């Protein structure tokens, strides 16, 4: 027993134990293995147009009215009274089994959102939603392609299950960005992806 006590108190043994505990702590932080057994379900409704102006809010000072001119339709003015689907896609699995569908929806105010519906994938560390110019390739060959070209991060994945909305930047060209990836930024790998086909 005394021999064991002497061994444990030696500086080299203490150093090894400290390193082992530190490595274990870092590994748990980096890989977050418990996420493989936990789910985050998010159920968001389809977004609506921007809120109407509050009539009780202070208004800008009035200016004299200019002579009326014939109305000319604006090319940028939204013409849809209801949200309209402009692109769709179906998620395929990459490093983790992933299912569900993707839609890009144009709202009556002209803004666009990317929406996951029926999403089901694994949880993981530092998952992001990316819209990219990369092709969607099935199998292991498609796991790492999404950071090779142009991509826009729409933020952290809100949950690994459910229906979720992500705002798209104004003016985003869907002819250039034609795919979506659930991207693990920590390990540079796609959990699942979808090709966007314009409706």
């Amino acid at each position: 027993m005394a021999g064991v006590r002497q061994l444990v108190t030696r500086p080299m043994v203490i150093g090894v134990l400290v390193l082992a505990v530190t490595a274990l702590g870092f590994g748990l932080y980096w890989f977050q293995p418990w996420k493989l057994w936990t789910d985050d379900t998010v159920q968001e409704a389809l977004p609506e147009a921007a809120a109407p102006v509050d009539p009780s809010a202070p208004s800008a000072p009035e200016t004299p009215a200019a002579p009326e001119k014939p109305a000319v339709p604006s090319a940028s003015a939204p013409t849809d009274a209801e949200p309209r689907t402009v692109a769709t896609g179906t998620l395929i699995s990459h490093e983790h089994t992933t299912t569900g569908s993707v839609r890009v929806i144009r709202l009556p105010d002209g803004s666009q959102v990317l929406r996951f519906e029926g999403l089901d994938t694994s949880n993981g560390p530092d998952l992001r939603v990316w819209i990219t110019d990369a092709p969607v390739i099935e199998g292991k060959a498609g796991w790492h392609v999404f950071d090779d070209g142009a991509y826009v991060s729409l933020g952290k994945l809100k949950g690994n299950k459910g229906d979720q909305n992500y705002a798209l930047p104004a003016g985003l060209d869907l002819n250039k960005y034609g795919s979506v990836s659930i991207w693990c930024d920590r390990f540079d790998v796609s959990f699942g992806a979808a090709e966007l086909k314009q409706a």
Side-chain angles (χ1 to χ4, degrees):
M1 188 70 177
V4 172
R5 189 177 298 116
Q6 286 179 346
L7 181 64
V8 170
T9 58
R10 287 183 182 172
M12 181 181 286
V13 174
I14 292 173
V16 169
L17 289 173
V18 168
L19 284 174
V21 170
T22 302
L24 177 62
F26 178 78
L28 288 173
Y29 164 77
W30 191 251
F31 290 96
Q32 299 178 5
W34 59 87
K35 288 197 170 185
L36 294 174
W37 296 280
T38 60
D39 290 322
D40 292 325
T41 302
V42 174
Q43 297 290 353
E44 292 183 326
L46 184 69
E48 298 177 2
V53 176
D54 182 357
S56 65
S59 58
E62 290 187 11
T63 56
E68 288 190 14
K69 295 182 180 178
V72 178
S74 167
S76 62
T79 57
D80 297 324
E82 298 292 330
R84 185 169 69 89
T85 299
V86 296
T88 61
T90 301
L91 289 161
I92 66 166
S93 300
H94 277 151
E95 189 177 34
H96 292 263
T97 301
T98 302
T99 58
S101 61
V102 184
R103 288 199 290 159
V104 174
I105 302 167
R106 180 173 293 127
L107 302 178
D109 63 3
S111 63
Q112 296 186 121
V113 296
L114 184 139
R115 178 171 171 82
F116 289 125
E117 294 181 331
L119 172 65
D120 189 348
T121 190
S122 297
N123 212 336
D126 205 14
L127 294 181
R128 308 281 170 157
V129 178
W130 281 10
I131 188 164
T132 84
D133 67 350
V136 176
I137 303 168
E138 293 195 30
K140 198 167 184 179
W143 289 14
H144 303 282
V145 301
F146 296 98
D147 59 350
D148 293 343
Y151 61 87
V152 176
S153 176
L154 305 181
K156 289 189 174 184
L157 184 71
K158 297 174 183 178
N160 64 305
K161 293 179 181 289
D163 302 340
Q164 302 158 32
N165 306 312
Y166 298 85
L168 292 178
L172 185 83
D173 185 358
L174 290 177
N175 291 312
K176 179 179 179 183
Y177 294 95
S179 62
V180 176
S181 172
I182 297 173
W183 183 256
C184 180
D185 212 20
R186 182 161 297 170
F187 296 105
D188 294 329
V189 67
S190 173
F191 275 31
E195 178 185 356
L196 291 174
K197 296 180 180 177
Q198 296 195 36

